[in-house]
Amino acid sequence: MNAPATAFARLHKHIQAWIWAQKWQQLRSTQAEAVDPILRGDTDVIISAATASGKTEAAWLPILSALAQQQDNGPLPSGVKALYLSPLKALINDQYERLGSLAESINIPVHRRHGDVTGGARRALRETPDGLLLITPESLEAMFITQGTRLPGILNGLQYIVIDEMHSFIGTERGAQLQSLLHRVELALRRRIPRIGLSATLADLSVAAEFLRPKQGASVHLIGEDSDDKAELRMQLRGYIGSSPDPAHAAAEEECDAGVDKKAIAEHLFRNLRGQDNLVFANSRANVETYADLLKQISDRNRVANEFFPHHGNLSKEFREDVESRLRVPGTPATAVCTSTLEMGIDIGTADTVAQIGSPGSVSALRQRLGRSGRRGGAATLRLYVSEDTVDHRTPPVDQLRAQTFEIVATVELLLERWYEPPNTNGLHLSTLIQQVLSVIAQHGGATAAEIYSALCEAGPFNHVDRPMFVRLLRRLGEEDLLMQASDGTLLPGSVGERLINHYSFYSAFQSTEEYRLITSGRTLGSIPIDHPVIEGNLLIFAGRRWRVLHVDAANKVIDLAQARGGRPPAFSGGGAVIADGIRQRMRRLYEEDDVPAYLDHSAQTLLSEGRAAYKRMNLAKQPLITWGEDTILFPWAGDRIMNTLHVLLTASDLDVSLDGVALNLRKTSPQQLGSLLRQLAGSETPEPAALAKNVAVKSRDKHDMYLDDDLLTLSYAASSLDVDTTWPVLRRLAEASGAHPESSAVPVPESMYFPLYNPSIERGTAPFAVVDVETTGFSAQKNRIVEIAIVRLDAAGVIDSTWSTLINPDQSTGPVHIHGIHPDDVVSAPRFADVLDEIAQQLAGAVVVAHNAAFDISFLTSEFERAGVQAPSWPTLCTMQLSKQFDPGQPATLAEICKRLNIEAGEAHTALADATATAQVLMAYLARSNELGGSDLFAALPFPVSHSPSGRGMPTEAPF
């Protein structure tokens, strides 16, 4: 390793002068170590060091020294001399300013190229290419297509390529595109160009090296530095108990639709962050808008200037840059409430505090965010906030475990151990390969199949695609009219391919939704996805302000806004992070330990204690299965790829399975059934991933997957979304543990919560029946919502009088579409529960409410009534699942099995009306059998206890709480 003084002496004199001008005392260790391998000009290098540790200068000081030394020996070749590739336009803008004075010291110009750069600047680069070019992968893709055979001239003088924030590319479609572009640059110039990768969070430098130079990773020079991890860290995790927003306040324009937990978190942020420069990571764009609004309202109530501003990708460039400027300017305190947009290395100065609301989703993300604090040599400050729902007798087991609290603690503990998530590098990236095939053809005006295969697959980054698979892909593209073949064998774009190439969206490898532009008084605020409808008169929170929709111009995709007193954040698309196996394994360890981390406040300690108590009560340390009504819940304690593989595997075995965070919910399946199946699967041979993937109904994930046939799509899905080899040891562990599953593993409920089922004031033979079935967005009555409801009314003798059903707009995702078949578009125009509450109450009034697994349906009805600000009545309740156990003890009690046993036509499963009608016929059958037994009272025959709620409602204990 070079000593800093020795490395400094090797730099060009003008670069040395620039360093002296910055008043640096010496080079940092990473900067010193990078000098020799980069100056050699023939070595690929990875520099892995913390945010603000000087990685940028570690690359550019020797690069510009090499260029300056060549200048001393004569004119440099024409064309761009060094490429800098970044995942963010904002990071390019930041580096453009940062590198300006350094490059100026040796008379080298700096250019930038991305979607916001003007046509004049682009034209200047084309006409007199020179210096450093800072560019996104998408803009480099555009240069390949628009400049074509002129590109080698533009890049003629290229000597170095720098890839910033390299961790963000590895294992992604965008990363596959970047690898292809790097390879195509070298093909165009017919020579090897040294590559320099920069990153703060790399789990395995050897994996990163293989990404940087495929098949030659061992030759990459690796530079790592961990002195930042020895810096002081001040940290606290604060816990909160959430609640649904007050319905009266939610309806009022003056109040933001937020629960007490969010308001309490906002108050704490206001008291502790005001007067400083800070970053608050709120994970989602909707949360960013909610917290920015809450903090502004608190500032207004306190009659002080607002210092809290939103920052996310849907805000306009001008708005984002204004927030970044506020953070950079000394003496003007500002806090950005943001998504991951400020996670990477944009220079915004030093944050006094980094706050994280909820789980960051990965250790790598938390490390990136934490690197924003403590950058003046002082201690880094990290404030963490977690909110969990109130636990009562209706709370599902997964929510009793306080899993979010444990996920955050696990993430922090792994961060302190310097563990980071390994990327998934197994993907075939066929969607991006389609893009690159079309791009190569557009670049050269046509190419043969052999030339494309040689460029992209045989010697290129798609080397996992063999020749037969490539031929199948080309044939498929021909069938879809993306390609056509000339008589001499040259491949050309087909009509569909031409349209794709000529559309601006072609340059990106990832999906992008169409969006409406939001304007007020002619000023653009940003944009929102077009797939979430907005109508005139709606109230929105956006850009930290409250707005009323004045006009929607659908043709031009523009929404005109005016300031208002109320609103709520728009619905944004996008999913959560993929949780790594290491985090879930650490969560399990935390449940089984007694140590309490010192950084938890009293409320967070309580949440940790409650989660451990629930874990112990469910006996999860010894067995992974518990009973919840007629369902079984499986706890694998594994990462999301393994969870998805188990989900596919069990679904292929004809079980009704859904993912529920840390668990899998198997609907209408007994623990004995599941345990037997787990042992059978564990004893079988490991299946081929593609064979397992054939069972997945919806396999499309990436931008151009629509053009793949089912066989290719199956191979692609298996490679990217399944992990069979790692899943099988987990499966064997689960099978072994489930062998000791007790006959009764229901979550226990205190005896004090029981009271008799029936209402004595309703006598048999006088009260009608109301059979209810609900389809829901999930399994938690507190978090999830009803998406469809059906009610079948029967008279006291059990004869059907009427049926009623409706879809419900749940104001959230419709959830497990594969179960109920209800897509988001189906409920856009549907009424909300509050709109039909009176009808539902009237349908149920004066009747015995009947359901199959009544605990589930009644708990959702009760929660929906409460959300609407109405106390649910104390309905007399009857559960047909319990009736089946009374009349047919020992027989399966699922609705489908009962219908089969009683010769009842069940109709289409998991539609509310079909299930309610089937349940009504089951009730009629049991009423008839009751009469055959001498007319015994169904209520008296079933004195089983039910759980008691504060309002006096009752539910069967077979679905324990």
Side-chain angles (χ1 to χ4, degrees), residues 44 46 192 205-222:
D44 298 320
I46 288 178
R192 189 178 185 275
L205 289 180
S206 64
V207 172
E210 194 61 33
F211 173 84
L212 185 66
R213 182 65 70 176
K215 290 187 175 182
Q216 300 177 48
S219 67
V220 177
H221 186 95
L222 306 177

Side-chain angles (χ1 to χ4, degrees), residues 254-311:
E254 290 80 6
E255 294 295 329
C256 176
D257 187 7
V260 295
D261 53 333
K262 290 184 177 180
K263 292 178 181 178
I265 290 171
E267 288 282 357
H268 190 267
L269 291 169
F270 177 82
R271 291 196 308 270
N272 288 277
L273 301 191
R274 194 171 183 280
Q276 303 174 335
D277 291 334
N278 313 283
L279 296 176
V280 177
F281 290 94
N283 288 344
S284 72
R285 287 165 287 183
N287 271 345
V288 164
E289 292 290 355
T290 295
Y291 280 105
D293 177 77
L294 288 171
L295 287 159
K296 182 180 184 301
Q297 302 311 310
I298 295 170
S299 299
D300 290 347
R301 287 199 301 271
N302 285 274
R303 298 184 179 180
V304 296
N306 179 45
E307 299 175 2
F308 301 89
F309 308 98
H311 190 288

Side-chain angles (χ1 to χ4, degrees), residues 589-625:
R589 259 180 59 182
L590 288 167
Y591 280 113
E592 296 176 3
E593 294 173 350
D594 296 324
D595 294 342
V596 178
Y599 51 85
L600 272 63
D601 79 338
H602 177 73
S603 296
Q605 290 179 28
T606 300
L607 293 174
L608 190 80
S609 176
E610 290 176 354
R612 284 173 171 167
Y615 185 89
K616 184 176 181 180
R617 186 169 64 249
M618 299 176 203
N619 198 27
L620 290 175
K622 294 183 178 179
Q623 50 86 14
L625 310 179

Side-chain angles (χ1 to χ4, degrees), residues 269-270 272-279 299 304-309 322-337 348 350-353 376:
L269 291 169
F270 177 82
N272 288 277
L273 301 191
R274 194 171 183 280
Q276 303 174 335
D277 291 334
N278 313 283
L279 296 176
S299 299
V304 296
N306 179 45
E307 299 175 2
F308 301 89
F309 308 98
D322 179 65
V323 176
E324 293 160 18
S325 176
R326 289 173 183 266
L327 289 166
R328 277 192 290 263
V329 176
T332 57
T335 294
V337 186
I348 53 170
T350 302
D352 294 287
T353 295
R376 295 192 184 106

